[in-house]
Amino acid sequence: MRTPVVMGNWKLNGTKATVADLIKTFAGVANDAANVDVAICAPALYIGQVESLATGSKLKWGSEDCDVHTTGAFTGELSPSMLKNEFNCTYAIVGHSERRGYHAETNEVVAAKFKAAQDNGLVPVLCIGESEAEFDAGKTLDVCKAEIKAVIDLCGIDAFKNAIIAYEPIWAIGTGKTATPEIAQNTHKGIREFLKTFSAEVADGVRILYGGSCNAKTAPELFSQADIDGGLIGGASLKAPDFTAIIEAAKANA
Ligand code: PGA
């Protein structure tokens, strides 16, 4: 049985005041969600504040990206070792489609970030997913497989024993067009079958989250699908009642 994960991705949103409000609320909600892993990935500037407020609760936290380097002449970058050792992050999202798209991160760069995160004790959350054109062309699984294969080539299949995959169709992110439970389940199943060609044990154990306009209304049916192990939540993780309802949906399927 895989423990469900509900992870917020705040992107470039928030103020010190909203961070304080939301983290206090979510720490309490996480404490009441015994069988669900709850986490918030926050803008880098707020990670220290999240750490102060969430320490001692069941709520975990992480970054929205990390660099491949730990220290040195890399102006503006986010060190995986600092995230882990200085701010006690559990997770680092890598390969979000907004990073791939706006910052030209290739599959190889994302794989290197995955490796750097893991080598420094963070659990990488590998985001994968196709564009609308690729979906229309029936290329969803080809895209997802290539994004995963780059990581397997660099890190080996066993790296997924301590990592999370987030399937996020780009056409569903921030658009309100949630993938139907059938579409999402089919893709998640295909991803798991692909992993199975490398290792049945890894395929069976890895948590695969759905992301893309997942909200309080759509989460219950999505989370009830056999291969969907929770969600990576953007917009709805900035609203306390919505994120709380999504955690409740995961609890019902834990
Ligand atoms: P959304 O974002 O829930 O706002 O669609 C999800 C994500 O980008 O991780």
Side-chain angles (χ1 to χ4, degrees):
M1 188 68 193
R2 296 180 292 267
T3 303
V5 186
V6 177
M7 185 176 294
N9 170 17
W10 280 352
K11 310 192 181 189
L12 195 53
N13 294 295
T15 63
K16 287 181 181 172
T18 61
V19 169
D21 279 353
L22 291 172
I23 293 298
K24 281 179 202 155
T25 304
F26 297 159
V29 176
N31 285 341
D32 290 336
N35 300 318
V36 179
D37 290 339
V38 182
I40 290 291
C41 291
L45 288 170
Y46 297 131
I47 289 176
Q49 190 191 356
V50 173
E51 181 197 16
S52 314
L53 293 164
T55 296
S57 78
K58 218 181 138 274
L59 180 68
K60 306 282 188 222
W61 56 95
S63 62
E64 300 173 6
D65 182 34
C66 75
D67 193 33
V68 299
H69 306 97
T70 54
T71 186
F74 304 102
T75 304
E77 290 297 352
L78 200 51
S79 159
S81 69
M82 292 177 195
L83 290 167
K84 177 67 191 176
N85 299 320
E86 298 287 315
F87 295 96
N88 213 11
C89 287
T90 299
Y91 302 104
I93 295 174
V94 294
H96 191 282
S97 58
E98 287 149 17
R99 300 289 317 173
R100 292 178 190 264
Y102 303 142
H103 301 272
E105 292 188 6
T106 61
N107 287 350
E108 290 66 35
V109 166
V110 172
K113 290 186 168 195
F114 180 110
K115 184 171 189 318
Q118 199 164 59
D119 286 351
N120 285 283
L122 296 163
V123 176
V125 180
L126 175 69
C127 295
I128 59 172
E130 81 288 357
S131 66
E132 185 146 39
E134 288 162 341
F135 176 80
D136 289 343
K139 292 194 177 136
T140 298
L141 273 177
D142 291 344
V143 171
C144 292
K145 287 178 189 176
E147 290 173 337
I148 292 173
K149 185 65 171 33
V151 173
I152 296 175
D153 287 347
L154 184 68
C155 308
I157 186 67
D158 282 351
F160 284 98
K161 284 185 178 166
N162 195 22
I164 290 173
I165 295 172
Y167 168 59
E168 301 203 305
I170 297 168
W171 47 270
I173 294 177
T175 58
K177 284 200 272 177
T178 322
T180 63
E182 294 72 28
I183 290 174
Q185 164 57 22
N186 271 340
T187 306
H188 283 229
K189 188 163 177 267
I191 293 166
R192 220 179 279 290
E193 277 164 4
F194 176 63
L195 292 169
K196 208 172 271 179
T197 63
F198 298 88
S199 162
E201 184 197 350
V202 170
D204 215 41
V206 70
R207 274 115 32 114
I208 307 177
L209 314 185
Y210 170 79
S213 300
C214 182
N215 54 40
K217 233 173 106 183
T218 55
E221 209 182 334
L222 284 162
F223 292 177
S224 69
Q225 306 299 311
D227 290 293
I228 300 182
D229 306 309
L232 182 57
I233 316 297
S237 70
L238 291 156
K239 297 177 201 141
D242 296 51
F243 195 59
T244 303
I246 294 169
I247 294 164
E248 289 300 321
K251 270 162 93 172
N253 285 286

